[in-house]
Amino acid sequence: MASHDLESPLLSSKLYDSPHLILSVPDPDFSIQQSNNNHNPAPNHNTTSRNPFEFLGSDGLSVPAPSTLDPFKNDTPYIEGLYELIKIVVCLPIAIVRLVLFGVCLAIGYVATKIALGGWKDMHNPMPKWRSRLMWVTRGCASCILFSFGYHWIKRKGKLAPREIAPIVVSNHVSYIDPIFYFFEFFPTIVAAESHDSMPFVGTIIRAMQVIYVNRFLPSSRKQAVDEIKRKASCDKFPRVLLFPEGTTTNGKVLISFQLGAFIPGYAIQPIIVRYPHVHFDQSWGDISLGMLMFKMFTQFHNFMEVEYLPVVSTLDNGKENPAHFAKRTSHAIASALNVAQTYHSYGDVMLLMKASKSKQEKPSSYMVEMAKVESLFHINSLEAVDFLDKFLSMNPDASGRVKFHDFLRALRIRTCTLSEELFGFLDVEKKGSITFKQFLYGSAHVMKRPLFRQACELAFTECDTGGHGLISEQELGDAIRLAIPNLDDNEIHELFNIFDTDGDGIVSKNNFISRLRQNPLLIALFAPSLVHKYSSQVGHRILEIV
């Protein structure tokens, strides 16, 4: 798998930003009455409970059906079948020769690149011509490396447009073979993760390509990368810029969501597509180790690769086209040429897949959520999604990746009661008595996205802080929570308090309180009754108004 953005979308305004804050809160008695009149299925009683987040303006949860496509699944991760075994045995002597050729070419290319970079300090400007000419040695070595991997000939279709017409090229990303081919073909400037710089041999070679490094999890780094893309694309003395907008490798059977870095500058773009036709050996770098993939490449008679240069795609409205729309048109052109479907998967799904694999889940692919759609709907990032997956995995999901009611309660540290059934029923949109990670993530993100979530957290802290010291004790937290779940004993209160008391000092500050609610947004429902109890109006107990 290829090696491994972030703005807080939630309202962070303080209570004093506006003169009035109004939270609509249903009267508890009214809600109970409504619940008794409702006959839909519930988590463990086959009756539907009320929405516990109505006081935040929630009108219920909707979760899309899981995708049936797995963009990262390699069809041949293991050696199977008599034909493959015989072929490997026959090709083993050839594989040894290929391995030696690969090592020699890599060493020669590395030395040539070190010489080309030697004493060059001003890497901010284009590489001098004599250094670029020396890099032809490394490019020749790249061609031999392709040959050693079994790519004896590569079928090409179409032509690479002149740089002045299309200074940026984008491609789908299937294998580590893609960048090796492009390095040999036209020696581009690439955009790569910062982690690539420390890779042996590879880090040195991509530095000679005047690589644009980016940390996908830092907004400042992404902005700086876009500025560099624009700067280098606008100067004819730099090589053309190559990007893999999917941000990771796939199996080539689908096209996943595009990052916008290539499209923000507004320059014309030439899409390029790569295909790896196969019958017995899937060459995609999906859920297969690098060592196994290289071994299987070395032990094939020949590996097939096709490259097609598509027509140049230019921006509309004299370069003023929205980057997202520009990316959408380009991805559609690539998907149409490949004759594949497009999905909302992204690199975030790779992170979820790897997390589930490391935790030994039987079906790691069931934890993918089409992360680009989640980011678009709820503005949460991949790192936050992985944190939610940590919480979900602590609920002991079964072999199919579903969590039952009692495991859900154990992770949230609350007992079986009306409120806990309402929380579970809110997530269990299919009314199956169990929930998936996608439902848990959508439900948690849905609650955090409510415009009143931040203000509700602050109000909850104020209600707990009865002493007005800016700190909450275990007793104060317990008094507030018992309004939602009566008869909680001291041990249960202590368990809930430990969720907020991360440093174990027996007190919780406002920042820690709000931070932990952001990590466990479903728990905000525990404080709704305390808000109603203090701030409900005299008429109908339906409006919470703070002036």
Side-chain angles (χ1 to χ4, degrees), residues 168-170 226 229 243 245 259-267 269 326:
I168 299 176
V169 293
V170 297
V226 170
I229 293 171
L243 297 98
Q259 302 298 311
L260 300 182
F263 308 94
I264 294 175
Y267 290 103
I269 290 176
F326 188 18

Side-chain angles (χ1 to χ4, degrees), residues 186-462:
F186 52 86
F187 190 53
T189 289
I190 65 171
V191 179
E194 290 178 341
S195 57
H196 289 157
D197 184 68
S198 59
M199 296 175 66
F201 300 103
V202 174
T204 299
I205 293 174
I206 64 174
R207 281 196 294 272
M209 301 170 71
Q210 298 192 267
V211 60
I212 300 171
Y213 289 118
V214 61
N215 184 328
R216 69 179 84 218
F217 302 118
L218 291 178
S220 60
S221 177
R222 297 197 309 273
K223 182 181 184 303
Q224 185 177 1
V226 170
D227 292 340
E228 275 295 286
I229 293 171
K230 187 173 183 178
R231 185 179 74 88
K232 292 184 175 180
S234 64
C235 178
D236 290 339
K237 294 183 179 180
F238 282 105
R240 69 187 75 226
V241 182
L242 166 67
L243 297 98
F244 298 103
E246 291 173 291
T248 187
T249 54
T250 70
N251 56 19
K253 296 180 179 179
V254 300
L255 195 70
I256 65 175
S257 61
F258 276 16
Q259 302 298 311
L260 300 182
F263 308 94
I264 294 175
Y267 290 103
I269 290 176
Q270 182 171 28
I272 309 174
I273 59 176
V274 293
R275 304 183 185 92
Y276 294 87
H278 67 276
V279 176
H280 301 285
F281 167 45
D282 182 358
Q283 302 154 65
S284 65
W285 193 6
D287 52 353
I288 181 174
S289 68
L290 178 60
M292 175 62 75
L293 188 60
M294 293 180 66
F295 175 77
K296 295 182 77 172
M297 283 185 175
F298 282 136
T299 54
Q300 301 294 314
F301 295 119
H302 174 74
N303 290 311
F304 293 90
M305 180 180 181
E306 299 175 356
V307 180
E308 182 177 354
Y309 297 93
L310 301 181
V312 173
V313 181
S314 300
T315 57
L316 305 176
D317 301 327
N318 296 321
K320 297 179 181 180
E321 182 181 15
N322 181 282
H325 189 261
F326 188 18
K328 183 177 181 180
R329 291 195 299 117
T330 306
S331 64
H332 179 72
I334 294 177
S336 298
L338 287 169
N339 193 28
V340 299
Q342 295 179 259
T343 72
Y344 287 102
H345 291 91
S346 72
Y347 181 74
D349 291 285
V350 177
M351 296 173 64
L352 296 172
L353 183 66
M354 295 178 65
K355 181 70 177 181
S357 297
K358 288 180 180 179
S359 64
K360 309 299 182 182
Q361 298 302 308
E362 293 190 30
K363 293 182 178 180
S365 61
S366 66
Y367 295 91
M368 294 190 295
V369 296
E370 295 192 273
M371 195 61 208
K373 172 67 78 173
V374 176
E375 291 177 351
S376 174
L377 289 174
F378 304 113
H379 305 286
I380 71 168
N381 58 68
S382 301
L383 294 177
E384 290 176 305
V386 171
D387 288 340
F388 280 119
L389 179 56
D390 262 330
K391 172 68 71 174
F392 187 80
L393 293 176
S394 71
M395 300 177 187
N396 191 32
D398 59 24
S400 64
R402 303 185 73 96
V403 164
K404 295 181 174 58
F405 181 55
H406 62 277
D407 292 317
F408 172 80
L409 294 189
R410 188 183 68 252
L412 264 63
R413 306 181 191 182
I414 55 178
R415 62 164 62 171
T416 301
C417 60
T418 300
L419 178 60
S420 61
E421 292 180 0
E422 291 171 352
L423 291 176
F424 191 81
F426 176 78
L427 301 177
D428 184 16
V429 294
E430 299 173 316
K431 307 308 174 189
K432 290 185 176 181
S434 61
I435 60 173
T436 65
F437 171 63
K438 189 171 187 176
Q439 292 167 348
F440 177 72
L441 178 63
Y442 265 69
S444 300
H446 170 87
V447 173
M448 280 202 305
K449 187 191 176 184
R450 299 302 94 197
L452 297 176
F453 176 76
R454 172 79 186 197
Q455 288 89 333
C457 293
E458 293 178 345
L459 288 175
F461 181 85
T462 301

